[in-house]
Amino acid sequence: MQVLKGISFELGEGEVKVVFGPSGSGKSTLLRCINMLNPPDKGEVYLRGENITDPEVNINAMRARIGMVFQHFNLFAHLKAIDNVSIGLRRVRGFPKEEAREKALEVLQTVKMEKWADHYPAELSGGQQQRVGIARALAMDPDVILFDEPTSALDPELIGEVLQVMLDLAKAGTTMIVVTHEMGFAKAVASEMIFLGDGVIIESGTPEHFFISPKSERVKKFLQQLDILYGSHEKLLK
């Protein structure tokens, strides 16, 4: 079955692309094709001019340059927060243990989690676990970070703390592709928004385009539904 069809877009340095659309439209698959967790059957993905879909490429080295923040955190339950963040630095980047720890503490401070550095995931709230997940991605100094619905598994009162971290990263110039239905976040930071439906790009444009004059009736109806379901979260970003 063909999941994605004719998808094509570019992401510039420091830009934030927000991808949204109904369940089953291919949003998560798109991210997994970009970082080669699900290598595409056709087409090409380029990172700073290098074709990462080339069979000859060192895919592990390329993946180290693409951060990923998952919907369900995916932290190692047996490792403390600081070790969840530092493990990639040690095993992939070859950092000495102490240097990796210093870098991990630095990025935990960025996401306001340094006080919980020595806590295990089970001792953290969902929002705190997701902030550790963001720190883990940041620690590798990636060229781009992919966010796969990073707030969808969180209780409503925890969403704001994660969105605020993402907002701060975007304003600091972090290059990001974000799959989300949080339209307050999209309005605040998106360089471009892409609406996916049935594996194709139905419509793309600036936040102003989508919230003032979307062309597709399907997009209009979807945004109306989101406003009913998620509109209350927009105040978190004001």
Side-chain angles (χ1 to χ4, degrees):
M1 183 178 72
Q2 190 173 10
V3 179
L4 299 171
K5 309 157 196 171
I7 302 290
S8 180
F9 63 89
E10 294 183 0
L11 179 69
E13 185 89 28
E15 288 186 346
V16 177
K17 287 273 197 295
V18 168
V19 181
F20 70 114
S23 296
S25 59
K27 304 182 300 294
S28 294
T29 301
L30 173 61
L31 294 189
R32 293 175 69 88
C33 285
I34 290 171
N35 69 4
M36 297 293 284
L37 286 176
N38 284 4
D41 297 317
K42 292 182 180 179
E44 297 170 329
V45 180
Y46 287 87
L47 180 63
R48 294 193 184 280
E50 296 180 68
N51 182 1
I52 69 174
T53 48
D54 186 331
E56 301 297 317
V57 81
N58 182 339
I59 192 59
N60 290 326
M62 283 295 183
R63 280 206 193 106
R65 295 166 55 189
I66 305 173
M68 184 79 174
V69 177
F70 298 91
Q71 181 177 343
H72 294 290
F73 324 137
N74 286 14
L75 300 180
F76 294 110
H78 66 290
L79 296 180
K80 295 177 180 179
I82 192 163
D83 297 319
N84 264 285
V85 175
S86 66
I87 188 169
L89 291 169
R90 290 190 287 115
R91 295 194 176 178
V92 179
R93 298 280 298 277
F95 278 40
K97 187 174 182 179
E98 199 51 46
E99 189 178 342
R101 182 179 175 84
E102 287 178 13
K103 175 73 172 179
L105 271 176
E106 180 184 314
V107 292
L108 283 170
Q109 287 174 349
T110 300
V111 300
K112 300 177 176 63
M113 280 298 295
E114 70 274 15
K115 293 179 182 177
W116 290 270
D118 291 317
H119 287 63
Y120 290 95
E123 301 172 311
L124 304 174
S125 70
Q128 290 172 328
Q129 289 185 61
Q130 191 59 291
R131 284 190 279 157
V132 173
I134 293 172
R136 178 178 58 187
L138 277 174
M140 302 294 285
D141 291 323
D143 293 314
V144 58
I145 302 181
L146 313 178
F147 293 81
D148 190 6
E149 299 198 48
T151 60
S152 63
L154 299 178
D155 292 332
E157 65 269 20
L158 302 176
I159 289 173
E161 65 187 63
V162 174
L163 287 180
Q164 188 59 55
V165 166
M166 294 170 61
L167 187 69
D168 292 343
L169 291 177
K171 289 184 174 179
T174 307
T175 307
M176 302 157 63
I177 301 177
V178 185
V179 170
T180 186
H181 291 147
E182 298 291 346
M183 294 295 102
F185 170 82
K187 283 181 182 178
V189 300
S191 311
E192 182 182 34
M193 297 175 63
I194 296 173
F195 183 86
L196 276 191
D198 301 320
V200 300
I201 295 177
I202 302 292
E203 195 166 338
S204 63
T206 64
E208 290 77 15
H209 164 80
F210 276 103
F211 297 117
I212 295 173
S213 57
K215 295 178 182 177
S216 165
E217 284 300 319
R218 188 171 178 186
V219 174
K220 290 177 185 176
K221 289 180 181 178
F222 189 80
L223 286 172
Q224 288 169 356
Q225 292 172 337
L226 285 188
D227 195 45
I228 294 169
L229 291 171
Y230 298 95
S232 61
H233 295 155
E234 290 187 16
K235 65 179 181 291
L236 297 168
L237 297 175
K238 289 180 180 178

